[in-house]
Amino acid sequence: MITAKESPQQEVLEAVVVRFVGDSGDGMQLTGTQFSDTSAMFGNDVATFPNYPAEIRAPQGSLYGVSGFQVHIGSVEISTPGDNVDLLVAMNPAGLKTNLHALKPGHTLIVDIDSFSKKNLEKAQYESNPLEDDSLENFQVIEVKMTSLTKETLKDVQGLDNKSIVRSKNMFALGMVYWMYNRSTEYTIEFFNKKFESKPAIIEANTKVLNAGYYFAETLELIPNSYTVAPAKMASGTYRIIMGNTAIAWGFLAAAEKSGLELFLGSYPITPASDILHELAKHKHFGVKALQAEDEIAGISSAIGAAFAGDLAITTTSGPGLALKGEALGLAMMLELPLVVVNVQRGGPSTGLPTKTEQSDLLQALYGRNGESPIIVIAASTPSNCFNFAYEASKLALEHMTPVLLLTDGYIANGSAPWKIQSTSEMPDIVPRKLKSAPDTWHPYDRDEETLARDWAVPGTAGLEHRIGGLEKDKVSGNVSYNPENHQYMTDIRAEKVNRVQKYIPHIKPEFCSEGKLLVVGWGGTYGSLYSAVKQMTQEGHKDIGLAHFNYINPLPSNTKEVFDKFDRILVCELNSGQFITVLKSRLEGYKYAQFNKVQGLPFGNSELVEKFKQYL
Amino acid sequence: MESTVKQYTFKDFASDQEVRWCPGCDDYVILRAMQKALPEMGIQKEDVVFISGIGCSSRFPYYMDTYGMHSIHGRAPAIASGVKLANPNLQVWIITGDGDAMAIGGNHFIHVLRRNLDLNIVLFNNEIYGLTKGQFSPTSIVGQRTKSSPYGNTQPPFQPGELAIGAQARFFARVGGNTPKEMTQVFVDAAKFKGTSLIEVLQNCPIFNDGAFSKYTDKTVRQDKQLFVEHGKPMIFGKERDKGLVLNGLKLEVVTIGENGITEDDLIVHDAENQDPTLHQMLVRSEYPLVTGIIRSFTDITLEERVDEVTRQVKADSSFAKTDDLFFSGETYEVS
């Protein structure tokens, strides 16, 4: 174990972005996760983003088989995984080819030159070896015979085949990076000891290679000095690193416990939402019922059945799956049952870009059903607040007796960040409208005067036997009604019920400034990108730019108009062709709107945002 | 427990809604048979749930004074599965038709049978789409002239029992739509069966497909054309109770008792409880005689039991009692 020590040569940096890239089988996700976890333990703020191919086992060395993991660590607040990287670790030519564009000029590149064989160069479609021509002259290139050094390190370790030996070279790279950023290897060695408890040879091999990489970097003259990133100023408390999809699952666990209900998930596997199903399937000890259904429609339909029978019912999906669920979601709205639908957005349309991020399902979420069928739509905006919004979605569904659609996206779902752990005991109360026994007089569509929510009368309760269905219902009895006035009344009241949710959601609070020339508006997963860019503008001296980032989309926060009134121009930035701006224009007329859109399967970059903002200042 | 259950009559299960099926429809027979069967089941009214899809048959829940949901086309099996998993104490019935179950809802239909939750499915098979006014269905016969097949249906039909047993149905029964006594008994038996039970009712649609089953179900021919099977009893039919079924190689053969030295002892004795469905499939496919009654009733472990077992084990092995135990477990760190 190596404990990090202060060294006189250290340069102090505020923040650093490191990207590890290699073949799908090179263990880049593990390497990146270890670096980010160790940095978080050290006290840095961190944000991570994995980038892996859609193919499960793409041909070795191919351009489309490249897997990457980016880590942004800082002594300052970190709100995105970062755009351009300060250090690129490339385990093979394909990784270098596909990621070099992200490396800042003059910055460091570590390559495993053992992998730069003629065959691998050809697979990466290099006409000449980039290490030998002058294409890398703008970078500080550190060439390391990583594969041979790993083999040499492990030559005396018993019980390892050649494959396992070569596979541990990622730890050599990690050891080097630990030295460069003055990180202790302690946490990772502990991790080996736990993970490979029954395989002592693997523990020994990984530990040796990690240390070998560390010492190699220390003694290597090619690395001029090491850097340090000091701990960030973060609120005190107990933290853990959490991925957005895990946070979603845990938010539901907390909501079920707080509301005293059992949790039911009906779902069908789909990228990038499946991890929520995986996570909830683990938690049978909390009584979670996770049904992997035969299709998307059965996923939501089983959840509707569970909601009718009194569970906190959830279904999870991504864009194409939401399209399939549309009819059933309309039924849930019509029945006025509590249901949470999570849509982890990905690149569309159709099958689109399953492993890439986008925000192009907003209009589908709001309007993608037949008839007049308003529902609550909310969006999480960071990996860690996925927890809060899963909880909030459950609370709104249960207290207002309506489906709630929760939007996230591939970027925050797969990204991870520190989460100041919230105890379920400290979360707000959830009071489901479940009737425990039959009141003296009761009708299925009697409503609460304030919220307009109906009661939840679940099968098994004597005296409350009733029938509900997708046909229009009488406003009181719930019996089928074709009466024209009744249909108008029910249409209006279903809309009004959702509008009244405005009274129960927080105001939108503009950040950086609340009056000025330009209000940057965003929603959902772009928060980190927009926040960093507006912050940079503010630090550069622009005092008249603010940020209003929306988590509540339907209904909008009640003070939205007042916030917009204070700015000359409203710039709506979205990873789609302009969906939220369409909604805003129809609901809040009379503003000077502008829009900035990007549909490349990628998050916003800092520089493109800053450049755009400057056009309006 | 039995003694605490209220004694009901069929009237207790009739809702205040006016029944709106066409006059003469077999749906009335099914409704009354169900209302008569429920008091026989020893179950509290509030624990009964009817879930239907879309179609004439699917109006059924509105007429039952129990919990009910008239849902969307084809999805009743999935919704009912959610109800049953959420609360396994409920007695759950799926009401569906040939189009609802085998066309738009085909996927849910086969998977609900495969999973084997303890619930019941009543399939109203009239071999036609009634609510949309007369198109052929997945059980319509080849050549059938309907509004959407003016020159005759060209799509070969499903045999519901064959499809169901292929999808691992453990319980399959078939009854004529004009035999309420048998129907009531089959409903009671299906409810008692632990696992998914499927009852196909040959339901005459007097408007769009009148007489589809009359060659089997008419009072004048019923006894000669139908074999009503009972577990443990020889397969005898006919007005004179002189016809029976024997197995000749891999085929069923109709024989006459007293001819060619055949006695009752030569006939096949019905074994509904056999795990091997080979003979059940042959009975389902038989056109003469048409086989009614409980053809298959094989008791298997249910999905609830499997889920229960796993859950109990996980709970016993887990150190997490509350969500906080999970949230604060593993790789956490302090910031001061």
Side-chain angles (χ1 to χ4, degrees):
Chain A
M1 184 186 90
I2 300 158
T3 313
K5 288 191 191 85
E6 289 289 321
S7 122
Q9 287 177 313
Q10 276 164 12
E11 188 185 328
V12 179
L13 301 172
E14 267 198 343
V16 155
V17 180
V18 180
R19 190 186 286 187
F20 300 89
V21 296
D23 217 46
S24 311
D26 282 342
M28 294 295 96
Q29 308 299 317
L30 175 71
T31 311
T33 309
Q34 285 301 309
F35 182 63
S36 69
D37 287 0
T38 293
S39 298
M41 301 278 177
F42 180 73
N44 292 138
D45 196 1
V46 306
T48 74
F49 191 67
N51 194 333
Y52 46 81
E55 291 75 17
I56 300 300
R57 291 281 178 269
Q60 216 175 6
S62 66
L63 291 172
Y64 55 91
V66 172
S67 167
F69 196 94
Q70 184 160 317
V71 185
H72 193 181
I73 61 171
S75 60
V76 291
E77 189 181 21
I78 297 296
S79 39
T80 76
D83 309 336
N84 293 326
V85 306
D86 300 291
L87 171 66
L88 179 65
V89 180
M91 304 300 282
N92 70 356
L96 179 64
K97 177 112 181 209
T98 48
N99 289 278
L100 186 65
H101 65 91
L103 182 61
K104 292 178 189 165
H107 282 252
T108 308
L109 166 69
I110 298 178
V111 285
D112 174 15
I113 53 170
D114 287 335
S115 68
F116 279 63
S117 63
K118 190 161 175 281
K119 203 169 117 197
N120 278 344
L121 286 164
E122 274 168 17
K123 282 188 197 163
Q125 296 168 21
Y126 271 119
E127 280 168 17
S128 66
N129 188 343
L131 302 174
E132 288 162 8
D133 60 28
D134 53 6
S135 58
L136 299 176
E137 67 178 11
N138 286 332
F139 305 101
Q140 236 184 90
V141 185
I142 302 175
E143 299 185 5
V144 187
K145 288 183 172 176
M146 231 178 272
T147 311
S148 1
L149 287 167
T150 300
K151 282 183 181 166
E152 179 63 24
T153 306
L154 297 179
K155 65 175 190 241
D156 296 329
V157 181
Q158 302 295 311
L160 285 177
D161 55 15
N162 190 50
K163 204 173 152 195
S164 310
I165 291 172
V166 174
R167 278 182 61 162
S168 51
K169 68 177 175 183
N170 59 333
M171 289 302 120
F172 196 94
L174 183 63
M176 288 181 71
V177 177
Y178 276 165
W179 185 81
M180 289 180 74
Y181 293 104
N182 196 36
R183 291 284 178 268
S184 161
T185 58
E186 178 186 3
Y187 169 77
T188 297
I189 293 170
E190 245 175 60
F191 168 82
F192 296 151
N193 289 333
K194 255 187 250 164
K195 170 130 183 163
F196 305 115
E197 207 179 340
S198 57
K199 296 171 188 161
I202 303 280
I203 297 175
E204 189 188 349
N206 278 298
T207 308
K208 276 195 158 175
V209 176
L210 182 73
N211 288 338
Y214 192 96
Y215 294 129
F216 179 81
E218 192 178 35
T219 49
L220 195 69
E221 287 178 6
L222 284 170
I223 301 176
N225 51 16
S226 80
Y227 308 96
T228 190
V229 179
K233 285 192 198 84
M234 295 168 81
S236 65
T238 307
Y239 283 76
R240 68 186 305 137
I241 302 293
I242 200 161
M243 259 178 63
N245 271 340
T246 309
I248 288 272
W250 288 15
F252 290 135
L253 292 176
E257 185 174 297
K258 197 76 174 188
S259 60
L261 300 172
E262 289 185 2
L263 183 61
F264 180 94
L265 170 71
S267 186
Y268 186 75
I270 185 167
T271 303
S274 306
D275 279 340
I276 307 173
L277 166 63
H278 304 162
E279 182 61 27
L280 286 174
K282 283 186 209 163
H283 297 300
K284 281 196 164 37
H285 39 252
F286 297 134
V288 177
K289 289 163 263 187
L291 175 69
Q292 181 178 317
E294 58 271 26
D295 59 27
E296 292 282 356
I297 299 171
I300 186 171
S301 297
S302 60
I304 289 172
F308 183 52
D311 276 1
L312 169 55
I314 312 293
T315 186
T316 51
T317 192
S318 183
L322 185 64
L324 285 164
K325 292 183 195 298
E327 187 196 14
L329 186 49
L331 174 69
M333 188 262 352
M334 191 70 163
L335 300 176
E336 303 188 44
L337 284 174
L339 173 74
V340 180
V341 181
V342 182
N343 177 10
V344 185
Q345 297 169 99
R346 64 189 216 184
S350 186
T351 311
L353 300 167
T355 58
K356 304 292 174 187
T357 198
E358 213 161 277
Q359 297 184 298
S360 47
D361 292 340
L362 180 67
L363 294 183
Q364 180 180 218
L366 286 167
Y367 307 118
R369 292 166 293 284
N370 60 305
E372 296 290 344
S373 48
I375 59 172
I376 298 174
V377 178
I378 64 177
S381 48
T382 68
S384 51
N385 81 13
C386 280
F387 177 85
N388 302 71
F389 284 98
Y391 190 91
E392 175 77 340
S394 310
K395 181 173 163 69
L396 291 173
L398 292 165
E399 293 180 349
H400 295 264
M401 290 294 283
T402 169
V404 176
L405 208 154
L406 170 58
L407 293 168
T408 69
D409 57 53
Y411 186 60
I412 58 172
N414 286 319
S416 60
W419 174 49
K420 188 177 169 215
I421 304 171
Q422 281 158 284
S423 165
T424 301
S425 62
E426 288 159 17
M427 297 299 287
D429 284 338
I430 298 178
V431 189
R433 299 187 50 80
K434 206 185 255 187
L435 292 174
K436 292 192 175 61
S437 59
D440 290 343
T441 55
W442 177 80
H443 303 99
Y445 281 78
D446 285 343
R447 292 173 191 279
D448 180 85
E449 281 180 20
E450 289 299 316
T451 61
L452 301 178
R454 72 183 193 94
D455 293 321
W456 197 10
V458 307
T461 320
L464 296 180
E465 293 85 1
H466 68 287
R467 278 66 56 193
I468 53 179
L471 285 168
E472 184 60 281
K473 287 167 293 295
D474 177 81
K475 62 187 177 188
V476 178
S477 68
N479 290 329
V480 177
S481 167
Y482 283 85
N483 178 294
E485 285 77 29
N486 180 73
H487 181 46
Q488 183 75 58
Y489 177 87
M490 289 297 273
T491 302
D492 295 345
I493 207 148
R494 285 188 289 260
E496 177 59 14
K497 184 177 79 165
V498 173
N499 289 338
R500 286 200 188 178
V501 171
Q502 236 184 17
K503 291 185 193 163
Y504 303 87
I505 61 172
H507 279 176
I508 180 106
K509 290 187 190 75
E511 296 180 81
F512 301 103
C513 98
S514 53
E515 193 166 359
K517 278 191 190 154
L518 182 66
L519 181 68
V520 174
V521 167
W523 65 275
T526 51
Y527 176 69
S529 319
L530 298 176
Y531 178 87
S532 319
V534 176
K535 187 174 159 192
Q536 185 186 324
M537 295 287 288
T538 308
Q539 283 168 349
E540 285 175 11
H542 295 280
K543 298 293 176 212
D544 42 13
I545 173 169
L547 171 67
H549 198 84
F550 287 77
N551 293 107
Y552 295 87
I553 308 235
N554 194 43
L556 286 167
S558 59
N559 67 328
T560 307
K561 187 181 178 318
E562 285 119 70
V563 170
F564 282 15
D565 279 343
K566 301 275 170 55
F567 287 88
D568 298 344
R569 191 182 297 269
I570 313 292
L571 175 63
V572 186
C573 305
E574 305 174 74
L575 298 175
N576 57 43
S577 299
Q579 301 194 5
F580 191 41
I581 194 173
T582 307
V583 175
L584 289 173
K585 277 180 175 171
S586 71
R587 295 196 193 165
L588 296 158
E589 289 175 60
Y591 297 99
K592 234 188 206 173
Y593 284 107
Q595 65 193 85
F596 184 43
N597 302 102
K598 176 171 171 178
V599 193
Q600 300 174 0
L602 294 170
F604 282 121
N606 197 62
S607 49
E608 62 190 352
L609 287 171
V610 166
E611 197 181 313
K612 188 76 189 174
F613 299 163
K614 283 183 178 164
Q615 289 174 16
Y616 296 102
L617 290 170
Chain B
M1 288 302 286
E2 203 74 9
S3 60
T4 64
V5 173
K6 219 173 120 181
Q7 283 306 302
Y8 298 104
T9 71
F10 75 91
K11 284 182 188 156
D12 291 310
F13 290 97
S15 78
D16 60 355
Q17 295 296 290
E18 195 186 335
V19 185
R20 295 193 193 179
W21 287 309
C22 307
C25 180
D26 278 352
D27 288 5
Y28 286 94
V29 182
I30 305 172
L31 179 64
R32 179 54 72 97
M34 184 61 81
Q35 287 165 346
K36 282 191 164 170
L38 279 162
E40 307 293 311
M41 295 175 194
I43 183 158
Q44 295 285 147
K45 184 163 117 163
E46 63 268 22
D47 292 335
V48 180
V49 183
F50 283 89
I51 307 286
S52 65
I54 292 291
C56 292
S57 61
S58 288
R59 298 297 177 97
F60 192 94
Y62 289 123
Y63 308 136
M64 297 296 299
D65 192 26
T66 64
Y67 283 93
M69 187 195 296
H70 176 217
S71 76
I72 45 176
H73 209 5
R75 317 303 169 203
I79 293 172
S81 299
V83 171
K84 186 69 184 179
L85 284 166
N87 184 356
N89 294 326
L90 300 173
Q91 185 185 84
V92 181
W93 292 84
I94 295 164
I95 303 293
T96 185
D98 39 317
D100 194 55
M102 276 171 289
I104 195 165
N107 200 25
H108 312 305
F109 180 66
I110 57 175
H111 286 277
V112 75
L113 293 167
R114 169 177 75 90
R115 291 196 183 102
N116 200 35
L117 278 156
D118 184 17
L119 41 77
N120 315 291
I121 308 169
V122 184
L123 170 64
F124 295 34
N125 181 12
N126 56 11
E127 300 187 353
I128 195 80
Y129 281 86
L131 198 65
T132 49
K133 301 184 176 56
Q135 300 81 14
F136 65 87
S137 90
T139 55
S140 297
I141 56 173
V142 168
Q144 189 170 327
R145 285 173 193 269
T146 71
K147 279 193 185 150
S148 56
S149 58
Y151 306 109
N153 176 28
T154 52
Q155 301 183 13
F158 274 136
Q159 178 59 255
E162 197 177 10
L163 177 67
I165 293 171
Q168 301 183 44
R170 278 74 166 178
F171 183 109
F172 175 75
R174 185 194 277 147
V175 285
N178 59 351
T179 49
K181 233 178 95 189
E182 284 85 347
M183 202 186 294
T184 302
Q185 190 53 49
V186 166
F187 287 161
V188 173
D189 292 341
K192 284 185 182 155
F193 177 78
K194 232 172 64 174
T196 302
S197 62
L198 172 64
I199 306 121
E200 177 195 11
V201 181
L202 305 176
Q203 173 244 322
N204 188 49
C205 170
I207 308 298
F208 297 108
N209 201 14
D210 196 21
F213 306 107
S214 55
K215 65 178 175 181
Y216 304 119
T217 55
D218 263 6
K219 266 188 191 153
T220 52
V221 300
R222 190 192 300 160
Q223 285 171 307
D224 285 329
K225 300 294 164 112
Q226 272 188 45
L227 162 64
F228 189 84
V229 288
E230 288 172 89
H231 177 69
K233 293 194 176 162
M235 297 188 187
I236 300 180
F237 67 105
K239 211 175 278 170
E240 310 298 331
R241 305 288 292 162
D242 62 341
K243 296 280 191 294
L245 282 183
V246 296
L247 204 53
N248 181 358
L250 289 174
K251 280 187 173 153
L252 291 176
E253 193 176 293
V254 177
V255 293
T256 307
I257 298 169
E259 278 179 17
N260 303 320
I262 297 280
T263 70
E264 202 179 301
D265 291 345
D266 296 314
L267 304 182
I268 312 169
V269 174
H270 183 44
D271 181 7
E273 295 170 7
N274 196 341
Q275 180 171 6
D276 183 341
T278 313
L279 194 61
H280 302 151
Q281 284 282 27
M282 292 162 82
L283 294 171
V284 163
R285 285 195 297 263
S286 168
E287 290 178 16
Y288 172 67
L290 180 88
V291 181
T292 52
I294 298 167
I295 293 173
R296 179 169 172 77
S297 175
F298 161 62
T299 305
D300 196 0
I301 182 166
T302 62
L303 185 70
E304 302 92 301
E305 288 168 336
R306 288 180 201 277
V307 170
D308 248 23
E309 199 187 315
V310 175
T311 307
R312 246 201 317 271
Q313 193 56 52
V314 173
K315 278 187 176 169
D317 295 345
S318 169
S319 55
F320 298 141
K322 290 269 176 195
T323 49
D324 280 358
D325 302 336
L326 167 70
F327 300 167
F328 289 94
S329 71
E331 313 300 335
T332 63
Y333 59 98
E334 298 297 324
V335 172
S336 50

